[in-house]
Amino acid sequence: MIVSADNEIRLDLPDGPRVDAEIVHFYSDGLRLRGVLVTPRERAGALPALVAGQGWSGAVNFRVLPLAGRLARRGYAVLALDHRGFGGSEGARLRCDPYEQVRDVSNAATYLAGRPEIDGSALGVMGASFGGAVAIAAAAADERLRACVALVPLADGRRWLRDLHTGLHGPDAWAAFLARIAGDEAERARTGAGERVPLGTLMPLPPSPAADAEAALMAAAYPEGYPLENARLALDFSPERLVPAIAPRALCLITTSDDTVIPAEHSLALHARAGEPKVLHLLPRGGHGGPMGELADTTADLAGAFLAEHLPSGAGS
């Protein structure tokens, strides 16, 4: 893990300019949330800043910190947060409500704007996977977020989950899964507690070394299992309906052509519905995790060039 149980922070950066990282806390809907704030060590004046979040994992332990460090080297402060219920943050354990996470992003932006080293007029948001979709929703809802970088995001939660379930198990599997979700909803209404399942039950993927490694990582991190409720919460989450509200603020989409978790068509759909200014980078390979992993340097170069144009310090002055 990149942030260990004893709060050791590892950014996994190659040699280069030094950055600083600190554990910070802020509040969202009365819940105390944890984040890691990464800043360039050498700086002149107030810094433009990004709030960064991951997907269904919800926590900074998964992939966003290496990008935060790389963008800090380009002059940005990046606050990578544990959403409520994940990592070191308070809240219902592992419950992933995208609209609650949108509020977490907005409250993180408010926290950043109050720090003396941050240029509160130059705030943006970045997210990966489900977090990329949350970043789009947050930018659509909060006009203070002047630039949005979404990595391998989904465009529509219902279409995404339907395609995963039918693609692996056939059309009958989707009806069975919806029935299971409905039964879980009834059980939660009756008893207050729902079913906990492996992440692969919510998000089935064809067997592969990468998928197996991801499943093992998630099972070790969250042995209690994910709430089946998270699938219900994703069904009505449709960033492609929200994305037009970002314009005239700027949107950058980065995805890969061989992503089997959230296929590139989701980014294409988001790009088609977004207003200007917008840019879509379709990388030829790397899978779902590549832009945050082996291709992190490429991602940082693309995102850095976009931010230099659309989120320079003093952008809102």
Side-chain angles (χ1 to χ4, degrees), residues 124-273:
V125 61
M126 175 177 71
S129 188
F130 198 88
V134 169
I136 288 167
D142 191 336
E143 292 186 353
R144 296 175 303 166
L145 301 173
R146 303 182 62 82
C148 175
V149 178
L151 314 174
V152 290
L154 65 91
D156 182 85
R158 184 176 294 268
R159 186 167 74 247
W160 171 56
L161 288 176
R162 182 198 64 212
D163 289 350
L164 286 178
H165 283 264
T166 58
L168 190 61
H169 300 303
D172 292 343
W174 181 237
F177 186 62
L178 290 178
R180 186 172 180 179
I181 290 172
D184 180 71
E185 193 167 23
E187 181 67 13
R188 283 186 288 105
R190 188 176 69 84
T191 68
E195 188 178 359
R196 296 274 176 155
V197 298
L199 183 60
T201 300
L202 277 65
M203 188 178 69
L205 299 173
S208 71
D212 293 345
E214 183 81 359
L217 176 65
M218 301 304 288
Y222 304 128
E224 65 267 53
Y226 265 47
L228 185 59
E229 179 188 12
N230 287 354
R232 176 66 188 88
L233 292 167
L235 290 179
D236 296 326
F237 183 45
S238 184
E240 68 184 5
R241 290 188 222 144
L242 306 174
V243 71
I246 295 177
R249 292 164 294 128
L251 173 67
C252 174
L253 299 159
I254 301 175
T255 192
T256 65
S257 61
D258 62 348
D259 188 345
T260 58
V261 179
I262 302 179
E265 68 91 9
H266 283 263
S267 289
L268 293 170
L270 288 162
H271 186 261
R273 298 197 65 170

